[in-house]
């Protein structure tokens, strides 16, 4: 029996789960890791990929919050284009949000998303189901059916469940079904028709404000409910120092809470709104410098578990309107890695090991999916980083259909060399010398 | 760089002869935030000269002859639009009025397409009023016409602040150290934001007064004294500027009732006794009599409200003239 095999030779491997941080070879056979270690001896004739100088191999990154927008919003993004963007962004799996049209609150829609993902043959999709029917916040969705259909977690999408009693039951029921609840926390009565962080900048620009307290209050509420029910809760796109404190406090009391932050909340503040560029309009809104500093601290001390893009694509026309009327969202899949390398790794805030925890190990654990490890038997999902690659963000070349990014034109140090899913290269960056080698990594090869 | 106003403007006997290049640094006036104090003073000086045109039997000078000026008003406005229109006509410009009901916005055309279509017809200047902050910026980015912001949501209303400044200067002769109290719905007011910026640039001592619910977030970062006590705001004031309270503010839980607002914040003759004897009372209009201002004050000896309106035409003539480059057609 001959298994398709390929040897990734001479790369720097970071695999914290297995205690590896150094030069190592990886043998992939039939879509799985079968050997990992320095100077591997393999059967003669095994195809060898010489990992380009300077590249770092990590367990495949998992983006915990992506709006694939299909079904219903295919003008913004489809599963296929979203996954192409994910592959280019260095991700080997994404968790897709349920706020499609129709909402992913039944097996049929879950099945559709999985079928589209299978057709795309790119990056894995872990569907996140809706907690309430139609995401209306009124009645439980059939979480058991969603689980059976392939959902790995459930979420309220982009609106909180306002009714605390319902939220309690959501937590209990989802937990029974073995799924975490991923929570967008916002008291909409406080944010109302706000479009920017409620503070000096919004006041000066005449923009209606969304107070930090609106996020803090619901994070505090939901952390408390998680403690009460013992049900796992994951706070999406946490943006304020108050919300971070609430998570820290919950963790200190051993509540099963986790949280994620986005790259834009780590690098941008509300003073960017001067000029009314709708590419900066996002929910939660860009906050203040004190919040950014608190989040950096949270990344370092372990309070924050994951970094996620919250990729929210919009059609160009939709963002080309007055600030008040523009939809919220940043199409972030293709900039996560470069922003993290340039703003977190190179300045020395975090190590690459910690980054792998934030982008692979913890997402896999929270979603309850296989990933985050390159140990023997693991699926061959590998993110190959080029940590010193000079990258200039060019929204016009995004593989996403969407162009709504505040990072267009940014010159960053660090990028993606290749993305490998199940032993198949789904993306190889032609700007990286030698990355073309990775294009030989396909599961069809003899 | 801005320059002294052309002295030939002051010649009452002839047309305005515009030999020098007099103007502002940018093609647009989107906000006081973009103006230097020198530019503000240039506008005020030019407006003084323009006032004279309004006293002639033939209230016209050829300064903007052959120029096309479009008044693009997405929000209703009688006073501001008329003021701009009179200003434009006195400068001999060809004017067009496009108001919300007439625009294809009702057919779903976006602001961007409306402006692009308009831009294709090559107007020289566009005056924009819109309910969204930053709308003027959108228009200015999309076409090469000069854009004057006639009010963008809660953000700015620069020509209002300029006409207010002209009125203050006419009565007080200076700004430096002048105590100016602004009282009313500060939170929702573009007039407050523009006036605050302008008065601070010219060195006035501004006091902002409102119920706590109608203050701006981060008020202390604006570098302005603020108080919820109207007596404190009135005490020793040289200028008192009153802002409208809209009925909707009760629905948004900002004030319990107009009655209570008048009781606690309304300007009455009695409240004025703490102000300086030569205090002037201002209001951008329209007035809500018996809410933010008692009729006796609005119509009383301290009120300069109607002068503000008159100054509005002169200031807008000045801005149009300076943005159009001051060249004769």
């Amino acid at each position: 029996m001959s298994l398709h095999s390929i040897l990734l030779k001479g790369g720097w491997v970071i695999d914290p789960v297995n205690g590896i941080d150094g030069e190592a070879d990886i043998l992939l056979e039939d879509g799985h890791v079968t050997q990992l270690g320095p100077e591997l001896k393999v059967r003669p004739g095994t195809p060898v990929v010489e990992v380009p100088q300077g590249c770092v191999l990590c367990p495949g990154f998992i983006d915990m919050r992506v709006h694939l927008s299909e079904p219903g919003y295919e003008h913004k993004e489809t599963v296929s284009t979203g996954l192409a963007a994910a592959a280019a962004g260095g991700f080997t799996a994404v968790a897709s949000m349920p706020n499609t049209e129709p909402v992913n609150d039944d097996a049929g829609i879950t099945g559709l998303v999985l079928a589209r993902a299978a057709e795309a043959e790119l990056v894995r999709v872990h569907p996140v189901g809706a907690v309430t029917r139609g995401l209306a916040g009124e009645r439980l969705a059939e979480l058991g059916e969603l689980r059976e259909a392939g959902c790995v977690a459930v979420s309220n999408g982009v609106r909180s469940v306002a009714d605390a009693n319902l939220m309690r039951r959501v937590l209990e029921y989802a937990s029974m079904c073995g799924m975490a609840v991923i929570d967008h926390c916002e008291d909409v009565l406080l944010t109302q028709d706000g479009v920017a962080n409620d503070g000096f900048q919004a006041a000066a620009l005449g923009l209606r404000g969304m107070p930090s307290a609106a996020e803090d209050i619901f994070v505090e509420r939901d952390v408390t409910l998680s403690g009460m029910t013992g049900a796992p809760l994951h706070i999406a796109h946490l943006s304020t120092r108050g919300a971070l404190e609430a998570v820290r406090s919950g963790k200190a009391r051993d509540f099963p809470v986790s949280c994620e932050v986005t790259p834009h909340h780590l690098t941008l503040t509300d003073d960017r709104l001067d000029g009314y560029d709708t590419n900066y309009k996002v929910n939660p809104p860009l906050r203040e410098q004190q919040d950014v500093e608190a989040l950096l601290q949270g990344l370092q001390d372990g309070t924050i578990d994951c970094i996620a893009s919250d990729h929210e694509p919009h059609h160009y026309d939709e963002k080309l309107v007055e600030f008040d009327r523009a939809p919220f969202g940043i199409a972030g899949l293709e900039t996560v890695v470069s922003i993290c390398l340039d703003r977190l790794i190179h300045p020395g805030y975090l190590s690459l090991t910690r980054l792998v925890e934030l982008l692979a190990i913890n997402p896999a654990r929270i979603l309850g999916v296989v990933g985050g490890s390159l140990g023997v038997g693991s699926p061959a999902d590998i993110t190959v980083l080029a940590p010193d690659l000079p990258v200039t963000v060019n929204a016009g070349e995004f593989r996403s259909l969407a162009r709504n990014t505040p990072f267009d034109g940014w010159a960053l140090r660090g990028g993606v060399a290749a993305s490998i899913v199940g032993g198949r290269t789904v993306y190889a960056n032609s700007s990286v010398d030698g990355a073309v080698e990775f294009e030989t990594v396909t599961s069809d090869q003899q | 760089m801005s320059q002294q106003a052309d002295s030939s403007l002051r010649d009452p006997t002839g047309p305005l002869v515009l030999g020098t290049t007099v103007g502002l640094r940018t093609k647009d006036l989107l906000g006081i935030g973009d103006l230097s104090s020198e530019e503000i003073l240039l506008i005020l000086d030019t407006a003084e000269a323009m006032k004279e045109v309004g006293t002639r039997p033939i209230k016209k000078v050829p300064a903007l002859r052959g120029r096309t000026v479009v008044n693009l008003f997405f929000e209703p406005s009688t006073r501001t639009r008329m003021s701009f229109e009179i200003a434009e006509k006195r400068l001999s410009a060809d004017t067009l009025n496009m108001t919300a009901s007439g625009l294809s916005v009702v057919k779903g055309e976006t602001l961007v397409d409306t402006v692009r279509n308009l831009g294709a017809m090559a107007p020289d200047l566009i005056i924009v009023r819109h309910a969204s902050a930053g709308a003027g910026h959108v228009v200015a980015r999309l076409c090469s016409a000069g854009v004057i912001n006639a009010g963008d949501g809660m953000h700015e209303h620069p020509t209002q602040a300029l006409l207010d400044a002209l009125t203050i200067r006419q009565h007080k002769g200076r700004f430096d150290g002048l105590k100016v109290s602004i009282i009313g719905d500060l939170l929702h007011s573009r007039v407050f934001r523009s006036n605050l910026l302008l008065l601070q640039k010219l060195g006035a001592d501004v006091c902002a007064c409102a119920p706590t619910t109608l203050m701006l977030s981060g008020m202390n970062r604006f570098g302005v004294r603020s108080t919820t006590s109207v007596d404190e705001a009135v005490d020793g004031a040289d200028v008192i500027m009153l802002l409208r309270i809209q009925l909707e503010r009760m629905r948004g839980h900002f004030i319990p009732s107009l009655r209570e607002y008048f009781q606690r914040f309304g300007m009455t003759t009695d409240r004025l006794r703490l102000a300086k004897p030569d205090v002037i009372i201002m209001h951008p209009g329209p007035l809500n009599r018996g809410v933010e201002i008692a009729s006796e004050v609005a119509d009383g000896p301290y009120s300069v409200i109607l002068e503000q309106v008159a100054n509005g035409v002169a200031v807008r003539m000045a801005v149009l003239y300076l943005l159009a480059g001051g060249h004769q057609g």
Side-chain angles (χ1 to χ4, degrees):
Chain A
M1 188 163 71
S2 98
L3 298 169
H4 157 67
S5 53
I6 198 152
L7 178 70
L8 303 177
K9 187 171 172 55
W12 191 278
V13 177
I14 296 185
D15 183 18
V17 167
N18 298 295
I20 296 177
D21 183 355
E23 222 176 272
D25 300 342
I26 310 180
L27 180 65
L28 310 180
E29 291 180 291
D30 215 33
H32 290 82
V33 175
T34 53
Q35 282 188 66
L36 172 59
E39 310 284 335
L40 291 181
K41 297 279 181 286
V42 294
R43 271 196 300 279
T46 303
V48 174
V49 171
E50 299 282 347
V51 175
Q53 176 84 1
C55 282
V56 175
L57 287 76
C58 312
F61 290 171
I62 301 170
D63 192 332
M64 281 200 65
R65 191 173 178 87
V66 174
H67 298 269
L68 288 179
S69 304
E70 183 181 1
Y73 302 110
E74 293 84 354
H75 62 294
K76 299 178 199 265
E77 193 84 279
T78 62
V79 171
S80 169
T81 59
L83 295 182
F91 293 98
T92 59
V94 302
S96 67
M97 287 291 115
N99 53 320
T100 46
E101 175 56 48
V103 160
N104 182 11
D105 63 0
D106 77 30
I109 304 298
T110 307
L112 172 68
V113 172
L114 288 169
R116 289 277 185 269
E119 282 160 20
E121 291 190 310
L122 287 168
V123 160
R124 297 181 202 277
V125 172
H126 301 302
V128 176
V131 294
T132 56
R133 289 170 196 259
L135 286 174
E138 288 164 7
R139 296 173 57 199
L140 278 176
E142 292 179 313
L143 306 186
E145 176 175 284
L146 287 170
R147 179 60 157 163
E148 291 293 303
C151 289
V152 303
V154 288
S155 174
N156 49 17
V158 295
R159 282 185 86 79
S160 293
V161 173
D163 179 341
N165 182 53
L166 175 54
M167 188 61 183
R168 171 207 181 159
R169 300 302 178 198
V170 161
L171 282 164
E172 288 173 342
Y173 201 88
S175 173
M176 175 188 82
C177 297
M179 298 187 290
V181 176
I182 299 176
D183 203 9
H184 166 106
C185 291
E186 179 187 353
D187 185 339
V188 295
L189 292 176
L190 272 177
T191 56
Q192 289 201 339
D193 47 4
V195 299
N197 177 52
D198 186 31
F200 169 73
Q201 293 295 339
L205 294 171
L207 295 171
R208 291 187 153 75
M210 305 164 75
S212 290
E215 180 173 333
D216 299 351
I217 285 171
F218 266 51
V219 172
E220 285 163 11
R221 182 197 80 163
D222 293 340
V223 166
T224 304
L225 289 174
S226 169
M228 168 189 168
T229 58
L233 171 77
H234 178 79
I235 307 292
H237 48 50
L238 187 144
S239 76
T240 69
R241 51 200 191 271
L244 186 68
E245 230 4 84
V247 170
R248 197 177 266 131
S249 157
K251 286 186 170 188
R253 289 173 285 165
D254 289 321
F255 293 174
V257 298
S258 60
C259 68
E260 76 199 20
V261 297
T262 67
H264 45 271
H265 290 111
L266 292 170
T267 52
L268 302 172
T269 49
D270 60 358
D271 55 310
R272 296 273 184 165
L273 300 177
D274 188 11
Y276 301 96
D277 183 346
T278 57
N279 285 314
Y280 294 99
K281 183 173 178 181
V282 67
N283 188 0
L286 302 180
R287 302 287 188 188
E288 296 172 358
Q289 190 54 31
Q290 279 183 281
D291 297 299
V292 170
E293 283 162 17
L295 295 185
L296 286 173
Q297 175 63 38
L299 283 173
Q300 290 173 316
D301 68 19
T303 307
I304 297 173
D305 303 276
C306 310
I307 292 175
S309 69
D310 194 14
H311 178 81
E312 196 155 2
H314 291 295
H315 190 277
Y316 181 73
D317 288 341
E318 294 172 308
K319 281 284 206 175
L320 194 66
V321 293
E322 312 86 279
F323 199 89
D324 284 343
R325 285 184 51 212
F328 294 99
I330 287 174
L333 270 171
E334 294 171 80
T335 47
V336 175
V337 167
S338 292
I339 293 281
C340 286
L341 289 170
D342 187 271
R343 294 299 161 111
L344 300 173
I345 301 299
H346 289 306
Y349 288 111
L350 301 179
S351 63
L352 277 172
T353 299
R354 176 68 179 137
L355 192 66
V356 169
E357 283 173 17
L358 292 162
L359 284 170
I361 297 172
N362 292 343
R365 174 174 54 79
I366 291 163
L367 294 172
V369 300
V370 174
S373 163
L374 293 175
V376 171
S378 301
D381 290 357
I382 302 175
T383 297
V384 185
L385 301 176
D388 293 305
L389 177 72
V391 168
T392 302
V393 178
N394 183 346
E397 286 179 1
F398 276 179
R399 281 153 177 80
S400 167
L401 287 180
R403 301 282 174 265
N404 50 308
T405 173
F407 299 118
D408 197 23
W410 282 40
L412 300 166
R413 183 173 154 217
V416 177
S419 308
I420 299 170
V421 177
R424 224 178 110 247
T425 299
V426 295
Y427 172 72
N429 186 348
S430 52
S431 312
V432 174
D433 279 337
V436 66
E437 292 255 331
F438 286 105
E439 284 167 15
T440 62
V441 183
T442 68
S443 48
D444 315 320
Q445 196 186 15
Q446 281 304 320
Chain B
M1 280 303 291
S2 54
Q3 302 173 32
Q4 288 294 331
D6 192 334
S7 60
S8 68
L9 292 174
R10 299 180 192 278
D11 177 0
T13 61
L16 289 168
V17 175
L18 313 161
T20 56
T21 311
V22 181
L24 303 176
R25 276 174 302 159
T26 59
K27 71 170 175 78
D28 312 302
L29 176 58
L30 298 178
I32 301 293
D34 305 322
L35 293 175
S36 67
S37 50
E38 290 82 20
E39 286 173 309
I40 293 169
L41 293 171
L42 171 65
I43 294 170
L44 298 186
D45 291 339
T46 309
E48 290 280 10
M50 294 298 181
K51 279 195 81 138
E52 181 278 317
V53 176
T55 65
R56 303 180 183 184
I58 297 177
K59 300 172 180 48
K60 224 167 181 55
V61 292
L64 259 62
R65 191 177 63 195
R67 305 297 186 96
T68 305
V69 182
V70 177
N71 297 320
L72 191 59
F73 276 61
F74 291 88
E75 263 192 331
S77 157
T78 320
R79 175 191 329 260
T80 305
R81 195 168 57 75
M82 272 177 53
S83 181
F84 266 107
E85 204 180 330
I86 292 173
E88 291 150 17
K89 287 179 151 77
R90 287 196 180 160
L91 293 170
S92 302
D94 296 327
T95 70
L96 273 110
N97 289 313
M98 296 175 72
T99 56
S101 54
L103 292 163
S104 294
V105 168
V106 297
K107 295 184 199 164
E109 190 178 40
T110 61
L111 170 64
V112 167
D113 281 332
T114 302
V115 174
R116 281 205 178 119
N117 286 328
L118 185 54
M121 295 187 270
D124 296 285
L125 290 165
I126 302 179
I127 321 301
V128 187
R129 169 170 284 197
H130 197 286
S132 287
H137 290 67
V138 173
V139 178
R141 270 198 286 264
L142 285 175
C143 66
S144 56
V147 177
I148 299 176
N149 177 13
D152 62 330
M154 304 189 303
H155 176 228
E156 282 229 42
H157 190 358
T159 57
Q160 178 69 46
L162 288 162
L163 71 89
D164 289 341
L166 185 64
T167 311
I168 292 172
R169 192 168 80 165
Q170 279 163 357
H171 283 271
K172 302 294 174 181
R174 71 179 211 286
F175 295 97
D176 198 53
L178 209 61
K179 180 174 173 182
V180 180
S181 292
I182 308 180
I183 306 170
D185 180 359
L186 308 176
L187 176 60
H188 298 96
S189 173
R190 52 190 172 217
V191 172
F192 170 64
R193 286 168 176 77
S194 289
N195 265 298
L196 178 62
L197 286 168
L198 187 150
L199 291 166
Q200 284 180 326
K201 284 186 194 221
L202 296 184
D205 171 23
V206 179
C207 176
C209 176
T212 309
T213 47
L214 291 172
M215 294 268 188
L216 272 64
S217 293
M219 197 81 201
N220 55 316
R221 287 179 60 183
F222 285 90
V224 64
R225 276 187 302 124
S226 63
T227 177
T228 56
S229 158
V230 71
D231 290 331
E232 194 185 312
V234 170
D235 189 17
D238 295 292
V239 178
I240 296 175
M241 213 178 268
L242 300 162
L243 301 174
R244 259 181 85 212
I245 291 288
Q246 294 173 301
L247 196 61
E248 296 98 85
R249 301 309 165 217
M250 279 168 26
R251 277 181 240 123
H253 312 300
F254 294 102
I255 53 171
S257 62
L258 300 180
R259 172 175 167 269
E260 177 149 304
Y261 183 82
F262 182 68
Q263 281 169 358
R264 292 182 72 92
F265 292 91
M267 196 50 53
T268 58
T269 311
D270 190 55
R271 283 222 153 101
L272 278 179
R273 64 192 151 68
L274 289 170
K276 292 233 179 84
D278 59 348
V279 68
I280 55 173
I281 304 293
M282 302 177 66
H283 193 303
L287 308 176
N288 278 335
R289 292 167 179 271
V291 180
E292 68 268 3
I293 187 169
S295 280
E296 73 214 10
V297 173
D299 305 328
Y302 307 104
S303 165
V304 299
I305 294 172
L306 294 175
E307 287 175 51
Q308 288 173 269
V309 177
N311 284 332
V313 175
V315 159
R316 286 164 180 138
M317 285 174 74
V319 171
L320 287 160
Y321 171 75
L322 290 168
L323 280 181
H327 292 293
Q328 199 159 17

